[in-house]
Amino acid sequence: MSKHDTPMMDDLEKGPWPSFVSDLKRQAAKSPQCWDILGQMEQSYKDKITHWKHGGIVGVFGYGGGIVGRYSDLPDKFPGVAHFHTVRLNQPSSKFYTTEILRKLCDLWEKRGSGMTNFHGSTGDLVLLGTKTDELEPLFYDLTHDLNWDLGGSGSNLRTPANCIGKSRCEWACYDTDAVCYAMTMKYQDEIHRPAFPYKFKFKFSGCPNDCVAAIARSDLAVIGTWRDAIRINQAEVKNYISGANKPNGGAHSKGSKFDIQKEVISLCPTGCMWMEGDTLKIDDAECTRCMHCLNVMPKALRPGTDQGATIMMGAKAPILDGAQLATMIYPFIKLDAENEFEGLVEIIEKVWDWWMENGKNRERLGETMQRISLPVFLRVLEVEPIPQHVKEPRSNPYVFWREEEVEGGWERDVKEFRKRNAM
Amino acid sequence: MAMSKEELKAAILDKAMKSPKPQLYVKDFYACDPDAKPRDVKNAANDLVKEGKMTFWSSGSTTMYAAKGRAKDEESRGT
Ligand code: HEM
Ligand code: HEM
Ligand code: SF4
Ligand code: SF4
């Protein structure tokens, strides 16, 4: 393993931004296999085709996930990456680390792998990039015994749950995302480490509709904090924003011009439910969709209400053929209570899993199953009463199909009796 | 009447050994016992992996099952 001639890779070091090519070259001093990564990438740029093969039976004993096998299809030319398996580690909730554990992890990974990491993969895991099959069991032993650290999910498993920082730092959090994420991670260890489903399944937890973990776009089951009562308004602070004493958005997007509450807040409210009466701000909360815009602009004046919980949305996915699909709102509001171990959420999760395991096709995400069977059928499966908020747009499908048991007298009618009153 | 766990495991292993495709989805085993809950079938298949009689085969995004020795590994498949 030594330096290859890589003019196209070297070109990627010329911009003013940080370059992964420079990072790889620096790491190559300790991990010479990094030269082969650069060499293989250069080769791929030339050939315009990937030289990675992925998948296989690699893993650690007892686990059916967390390791993704990866091999070079040019092992003779690039022996350093002949095996280059990816290891997913369950990141801590909110991704809070101590420097001590990070140093230990880096030392271990330089001993057992390439030293290259990805903080963090799209699923949320801390990703260790590149090691050989023989190193997997020793790495896993040290991780679990010395670092007290476990693998994350991959394949047809529950993927490592992820959450926004929530109440640990953020005043907008409507529930304790750390607590729920941790509780669900511990409860569903078997589903994380061993395949359980027709395809992957992801949970994500955001504390408010700002949705900092992008749960709405990236999870089969998104738990997004919200409130049922009225936005709390501090009218004195509203006046301070209007006078300029408070900076809108905490000063983040300020262009120096004077804050105009009409232009920057009221006119931008998507449901048009805000107005001024003299110098008092009014909100018609029944119309508010909890978009968070006004709260984000004036955090000192506006806060979420106090009757807090979460909205459950399902079915986000990003398949290559049909393009991305956001999650659909299924349960508008549930309470999340640590006292009863988040019973309401657990019930919903297990109901949808039981159904999807039976009815989902192989390699079909929950969102695709929902699309295939239609939202009305999906709601019936979950025993959710349809409400106007389930309807995306009126009249795209104006037909309501009643079921026989919902109609008095069923489908049977006496035609002769009817024709007496309505001659043909 | 659903099969006992051992009967279910035997039926799954039989299917994994005889099926023309070496790698199967967990759903392909549901037919081994139409009365069993999907979760029980999954647990039985995972038990067989624990006992070393079957192996997981994962593409990274999906996981399949194969009788031991039948799964194709990228490593041995060659280039
Ligand atoms: C420029 C010409 C036309 C425009 C812009 C137009 C537009 C519309 C619109 C907006 C609706 C309501 C659709 C809905 O409620 O979702 C409608 C309904 C309807 N239009 Fe037209 N229309 C036009 C010409 C015609 C003509 C020439 C006919 C018949 C000869 C016609 C027959 C109908 C019928 C039968 C409906 C009722 C459908 C229903 O809701 O049951 N329209 N039209
Ligand atoms: C090119 C010719 C036609 C066009 C573009 C047309 C268009 C439409 C449209 C847009 C609707 C509304 C569907 C909805 O509610 O979403 C409609 C409904 C209807 N059309 Fe036509 N139509 C045509 C020909 C005809 C003809 C020839 C007849 C009868 C002989 C007819 C009978 C009806 C009836 C009865 C409805 C109401 C159906 C219902 O609401 O259940 N249409 N048509
Ligand atoms: S999603 Fe909401 S609660 Fe969570 S960190 Fe973002 S703004 Fe705060
Ligand atoms: S949260 Fe959004 S919808 Fe609700 S009042 Fe504020 S701007 Fe309007």
Side-chain angles (χ1 to χ4, degrees):
Chain A
M1 286 173 269
S2 62
K3 202 168 181 318
H4 302 271
D5 191 26
T6 57
M8 284 189 269
M9 290 286 102
D10 301 346
D11 211 38
L12 298 178
E13 292 184 281
K14 290 183 185 150
W17 45 79
S19 166
F20 72 95
V21 176
S22 308
D23 288 350
L24 279 167
K25 287 181 178 173
R26 196 178 58 187
Q27 185 63 25
K30 282 183 187 164
S31 316
Q33 61 266 52
C34 292
W35 292 126
D36 282 350
I37 300 176
L38 288 168
Q40 176 162 313
M41 274 191 83
E42 181 81 17
Q43 187 74 44
S44 282
Y45 277 33
K46 259 188 235 150
D47 301 346
K48 298 192 165 61
I49 191 171
T50 183
H51 287 291
W52 292 118
K53 299 187 295 179
H54 69 106
I57 59 173
V58 291
V60 294
F61 189 70
Y63 277 46
I67 314 267
V68 182
R70 202 172 294 280
Y71 303 92
S72 170
D73 68 5
L74 301 169
D76 298 330
K77 197 163 181 189
F78 304 111
V81 296
H83 300 194
F84 210 67
H85 309 318
T86 299
V87 181
R88 293 188 182 161
L89 300 188
N90 193 135
Q91 80 289 356
S93 292
S94 298
K95 305 189 173 85
F96 287 123
Y97 296 97
T98 60
T99 49
E100 189 196 0
I101 195 91
L102 289 177
R103 280 179 211 286
K104 280 189 187 165
L105 180 72
C106 290
D107 289 345
L108 175 61
W109 184 231
E110 276 179 346
K111 192 167 110 193
R112 297 288 179 200
S114 71
M116 284 211 307
T117 60
N118 171 9
F119 280 67
H120 297 79
S122 320
T123 300
D125 303 275
L126 195 176
V127 184
L128 304 177
L129 296 162
T131 193
K132 296 191 184 67
T133 306
D134 294 346
E135 298 285 5
L136 290 171
E137 288 292 351
L139 169 72
F140 180 63
Y141 187 92
D142 290 350
L143 271 173
T144 46
H145 290 74
D146 298 347
L147 272 60
N148 197 18
W149 207 329
D150 206 346
L151 301 183
S154 68
S156 306
N157 300 25
L158 173 63
R159 300 307 184 80
T160 316
N163 64 289
C164 79
I165 54 172
K167 291 199 167 168
S168 65
R169 274 276 186 274
C170 181
E171 63 197 79
W172 283 316
C174 294
Y175 71 94
D176 188 344
T177 53
D178 285 316
V180 178
C181 188
Y182 180 77
M184 295 305 118
T185 303
M186 297 314 279
K187 185 170 177 66
Y188 296 119
Q189 280 289 298
D190 194 53
E191 283 77 3
I192 292 174
H193 297 308
R194 279 161 284 274
F197 307 116
Y199 202 22
K200 60 181 107 167
F201 196 95
K202 301 180 183 179
F203 295 147
K204 293 201 191 301
F205 305 96
S206 275
C208 83
N210 279 332
D211 193 11
C212 292
V213 284
I216 196 172
R218 306 194 302 156
S219 54
D220 300 274
L221 193 146
V223 181
I224 301 180
T226 190
W227 62 93
R228 251 190 310 206
D229 51 349
I231 292 174
R232 284 174 282 172
I233 310 180
N234 180 332
Q235 296 290 353
E237 295 290 1
V238 173
K239 291 188 183 74
N240 286 337
Y241 278 104
I242 294 171
S243 74
N246 288 339
K247 294 227 178 324
N249 293 299
H253 312 295
S254 172
K255 295 189 197 76
S257 53
K258 193 171 174 339
F259 175 63
D260 180 343
I261 193 169
Q262 184 62 44
K263 195 168 133 221
E264 292 173 51
V265 178
I266 297 176
S267 304
L268 294 180
C269 169
T271 59
C273 70
M274 312 181 82
W275 70 99
M276 295 299 292
E277 269 178 35
D279 57 3
T280 305
L281 177 67
K282 295 282 190 184
I283 300 176
D284 180 359
D285 287 277
E287 294 298 325
C288 163
T289 53
R290 279 69 173 155
C291 81
M292 293 297 289
H293 174 71
C294 60
L295 293 95
N296 291 340
V297 178
M298 308 195 294
K300 285 187 173 175
L302 303 176
R303 295 163 70 198
T306 52
D307 185 8
Q308 301 181 337
T311 296
I312 308 294
M313 306 185 66
M314 293 185 197
K317 65 192 173 79
I320 294 159
L321 292 181
D322 329 345
Q325 176 179 304
L326 296 183
T328 302
M329 194 280 292
I330 304 294
Y331 294 88
F333 188 89
I334 65 163
K335 279 283 186 188
L336 287 165
D337 193 354
E339 298 275 284
N340 64 21
E341 291 160 353
F342 311 110
E343 195 176 75
L345 178 61
V346 166
E347 205 176 288
I348 290 170
I349 289 170
E350 297 190 357
K351 202 174 206 175
V352 76
W353 277 356
D354 282 345
W355 176 81
W356 182 56
M357 284 168 80
E358 189 140 5
N359 295 280
K361 293 186 180 172
N362 292 327
R363 298 181 61 85
E364 183 179 65
R365 291 284 289 273
L366 177 64
E368 293 166 291
T369 318
M370 285 165 63
Q371 254 179 344
R372 178 161 58 79
I373 63 153
S374 85
L375 185 64
V377 175
F378 187 64
L379 292 177
R380 201 179 304 148
V381 166
L382 294 179
E383 299 163 281
V384 175
E385 273 295 308
I387 54 169
Q389 284 81 354
H390 285 130
V391 179
K392 187 174 157 207
E393 60 206 7
R395 291 200 67 106
S396 59
N397 179 356
Y399 302 106
V400 175
F401 297 105
W402 298 95
R403 280 169 296 149
E404 188 165 10
E405 61 270 27
E406 291 170 333
V407 178
E408 207 181 323
W411 292 152
E412 299 304 321
R413 287 288 185 282
D414 187 341
V415 176
K416 280 190 188 126
E417 190 57 34
F418 179 76
R419 286 292 167 227
K420 278 185 204 156
R421 287 177 282 121
N422 294 277
M424 278 257 259
Chain B
M1 247 297 279
M3 294 175 176
S4 76
K5 188 163 190 184
E6 289 310 315
E7 286 169 334
L8 180 58
K9 278 162 66 177
I12 290 173
L13 191 57
D14 189 56
K15 176 150 193 179
M17 301 217 277
K18 289 188 185 147
S19 108
K21 284 187 293 177
Q23 280 128 238
L24 294 168
Y25 291 102
V26 69
K27 287 193 72 104
D28 298 335
F29 297 121
Y30 287 1
C32 292
D33 179 3
D35 296 329
K37 289 202 193 93
R39 199 176 279 232
D40 295 334
V41 176
K42 178 263 292 184
N43 287 336
N46 286 353
D47 262 16
L48 285 162
V49 176
K50 256 182 251 169
E51 291 166 16
K53 293 176 184 153
M54 296 216 297
T55 46
F56 293 124
W57 185 97
S58 172
S59 68
S61 60
T62 321
T63 312
M64 300 174 85
Y65 295 79
K68 182 143 184 105
R70 288 199 77 198
K72 276 182 276 178
D73 203 6
E74 288 296 338
E75 211 173 341
S76 54
R77 202 164 73 179
T79 52

